[in-house]
Amino acid sequence: ELQRAMEEYQAITMRFAMAQDDMSVSVVELLSWEREAEQKYNEMQRLSDEWGAPDRELGRAAGEATLRLAVLMPLLERANQGSISREELLRRIRQAKSLYAESYRLSGGANWVNQQLLVVDYPERLRELTVFEQNVDKFINRGPGSFAESPPNGGGGCYIATAVYGSYDDP
C-alpha cells in the first residue's frame, strides 16, 4: 500500500515539474493538483507511520517542504499573470522556508541511515527561497517569457539568476 501511495504521489508531483514549462496549465489547475497531492501525501504519511518509519518528524517536515516547493515553482512562473497575489506568493515562500528550516534542524538528529540518504542541501535551499522572497516583485512584474533565456553554448544556466536578475550567468 505504501509503495502504491508513493508512486501515485510521485506521479502527481511530476505534474508540477512539467507545469513549470507548460504555461497552458492554469493556476486553478495547479491548486487542484495541490489538493490532490496533499491528500495522497497524507495517505502516504499515515501508511508510513503505521509501518514505523524512523525520523517521522523529519519525514513529515521534509516531505511537506518538498511538496510546497514543487507547487511554488510553477506558481512563480505564473506570477506575472495576476492570478495569484503577491501576499499569497510571499506566504507560500515563507511556508516553504519554515519547513526547510525545520527539516534542517531535524536532520542533525536523524538516524545514521537517514543521514546517509539526505541529499537536500538545506542551507542552499533556504538561500534560494530567501532570494525568491526578496525578489518576488521581479516575478510579478517581469515580461512574458523572460525566464526562458538559456546560455549561448547550450549548457545549463542558473534558473534562479535568470528568474531574479534576468540573466543565466549573473553571479
Side-chain angles (χ1 to χ4, degrees), residues 29 32 43 61 69 78 96 98 103-104 111 128 137-138 140 161:
E29 194 169 7
S32 170
E43 177 187 355
L69 187 61
R78 288 154 181 79
S98 175
S103 299
Y104 185 38
N111 73 33
E128 292 167 355
D137 292 324
K138 290 185 181 183
I140 294 168

Side-chain angles (χ1 to χ4, degrees), residues 9-161:
Y9 174 75
Q10 287 173 342
I12 297 167
T13 57
M14 285 304 299
R15 290 186 220 158
F16 293 111
M18 292 185 296
Q20 233 176 296
D21 295 325
D22 181 359
M23 295 305 286
S24 71
V25 177
S26 70
V27 169
V28 171
E29 194 169 7
L30 290 169
L31 297 177
S32 170
W33 293 352
E34 180 180 37
R35 286 187 297 279
E36 185 182 351
E38 287 169 345
Q39 291 172 347
K40 193 53 64 178
Y41 177 75
N42 289 334
E43 177 187 355
M44 206 171 57
Q45 282 301 132
R46 180 186 57 76
L47 292 167
S48 180
D49 288 348
E50 288 174 7
W51 176 62
D55 300 320
R56 289 170 35 182
E57 295 83 12
L58 173 58
R60 279 194 183 92
E64 180 79 11
T66 302
L67 174 58
R68 297 302 155 212
L69 187 61
V71 176
L72 177 64
M73 297 310 290
L75 288 176
L76 286 171
E77 285 285 341
R78 288 154 181 79
N80 67 338
Q81 297 174 354
S83 50
I84 187 161
S85 72
R86 178 183 192 278
E87 292 75 24
E88 178 64 10
L89 286 171
L90 285 170
R91 183 191 70 75
R92 287 172 173 275
I93 292 167
R94 291 173 182 148
Q95 178 186 37
K97 279 179 66 174
S98 175
L99 288 162
Y100 275 107
E102 179 71 0
S103 299
Y104 185 38
R105 183 185 70 74
L106 292 169
S107 69
N111 73 33
W112 73 272
V113 172
N114 281 344
Q115 284 189 356
Q116 304 308 308
L117 297 174
L118 290 173
V119 295
V120 175
D121 182 345
Y122 290 112
E124 178 62 17
R125 188 60 41 89
L126 289 165
R127 187 191 69 72
E128 292 167 355
L129 286 163
T130 298
V131 169
F132 290 158
E133 182 179 28
Q134 292 170 345
N135 293 281
V136 70
D137 292 324
K138 290 185 181 183
F139 286 96
I140 294 168
N141 297 321
R142 69 177 167 75
S146 64
F147 292 175
E149 179 185 349
S150 59
N153 65 2
C158 178
Y159 170 79
I160 295 168

Side-chain angles (χ1 to χ4, degrees), residues 157-171:
C158 178
Y159 170 79
I160 295 168
T162 303
V164 175
Y165 301 109
S167 172
Y168 65 86
D169 62 355
D170 193 295

